[in-house]
Amino acid sequence: MEEYNTSSTDLTFMGLFNRKETSGLLFAIISIIFFTALMANGVMIFLIHTDSHLHTPMYFLLSHLSFIDMMYISTIVPKMLVDYLLDQRTITFVGCTAQHFLYLTLVGAEFFLLGLMAYDRYVAICNPLRYPILMSRRVCWMIIAGSWFGGSLDGFLLTPITMSFPFCNSREINHFFCEAPAVLKLACADTALYETVMYVCCVLMLLIPFSVVIASYAQILTTVHRMSSVEGRKKAFATCSSHMTVVPLFYGAAMYTYMLPHSYHRPEQDKVFSVFYTILTPMLNPLIYSLRNKDVTGAMKRVLDRFKRTQRVSGDAF
């Protein structure tokens, strides 16, 4: 097809809405997920910053996790939804490069942040008396800065190389956003060496924080096993349950995409797993942390009570 040639700067997504019989329903579902994710993460950030009961290191880190979720779902889904409404599938080369960089940076930052949040839980359960020192405000900011640095490093290293390969005549990306494996399939040059380097980088980015998670929870389980109090055990597991639920959801799908050999990948399966950790996870994270957390539900009740009191005072004034 002549419209896809090396002189054009536009790329074309095959996308998720390529089946007319299901595209309308899929559009509605993804729209609901997107706006639910924005609202749920926005509410989480609002509660953490306005309720003094949530001014703790764990919730400080959680507020940044919610911010990252809002950012990276917004780098992918709005473009997809607008394209469906306008009946177009193209993205400029510059737009694809920007999306690729933002996606890598944000998802990398989330990898590291989730890993380091396990360290917070380890300190809270295994060293509770030293928690205020080991998880001071300075340490929390170092965790946030380290997460962003790790994600940015990934984006700055991989994006220029990925987008520097010459593309063949067909510029159709068999995906719904500019994810590296899908973009590299368009390259005319030999990408075997770079794909090996990228594979090693992604494995390290996944395994380093995941190793922190495994090590932290191994220590937590050892400490909990030694507890004589049944209530103490329940409280310890309740403290970790939300994080333990979120980590497998996010890391599992990402490991499939970046650690499984190419011979096991199929385009349709890749799209499903990418949907899971780029679209579903940002919605599920705040719901898991709020529905399974008494502190967050308590903060929500206090905010609603304050709002009701304000409404009564306003009504009495008239």
Side-chain angles (χ1 to χ4, degrees), residues 255-291:
M255 283 179 175
Y256 167 85
T257 301
Y258 290 103
M259 293 181 65
L260 204 67
H262 289 294
S263 56
Y264 292 92
H265 282 263
R266 294 177 184 175
E268 296 307 315
Q269 286 181 343
D270 289 350
K271 289 180 189 179
V272 170
F273 277 91
S274 293
V275 163
F276 195 84
Y277 79 90
T278 61
I279 299 175
L280 279 177
T281 304
M283 179 193 71
L284 293 175
N285 282 354
L287 295 180
I288 290 169
Y289 273 103
S290 60
L291 295 175

Side-chain angles (χ1 to χ4, degrees), residues 16-17 23-24 26-35 73 76-88 176 279:
L16 293 174
F17 307 122
S23 60
L26 195 57
F27 171 82
I29 292 171
I30 291 176
S31 298
I32 292 169
I33 291 172
F34 174 64
F35 289 111
I73 195 174
I76 298 167
V77 175
K79 165 71 177 167
M80 191 195 320
L81 299 180
V82 170
D83 282 356
Y84 176 81
L85 293 174
L86 298 179
D87 195 24
Q88 66 181 29
F176 58 91
I279 299 175

Side-chain angles (χ1 to χ4, degrees), residues 172-191:
E172 272 201 349
I173 301 174
N174 193 3
H175 213 352
F176 58 91
F177 73 103
C178 292
E179 192 169 24
V183 173
L184 285 174
K185 288 178 182 177
L186 306 182
C188 295
D190 182 12
T191 62

Side-chain angles (χ1 to χ4, degrees), residues 193-206:
L193 178 61
Y194 172 61
E195 287 187 49
T196 303
V197 173
M198 186 177 70
Y199 176 80
V200 172
C201 287
C202 292
V203 167
L204 289 174
M205 279 199 65
L206 282 164

Side-chain angles (χ1 to χ4, degrees), residues 40 42 70 76 92 193 233 278 297:
M70 290 177 72
I76 298 167
T92 64
L193 178 61
R233 290 184 181 183
T278 61
T297 53

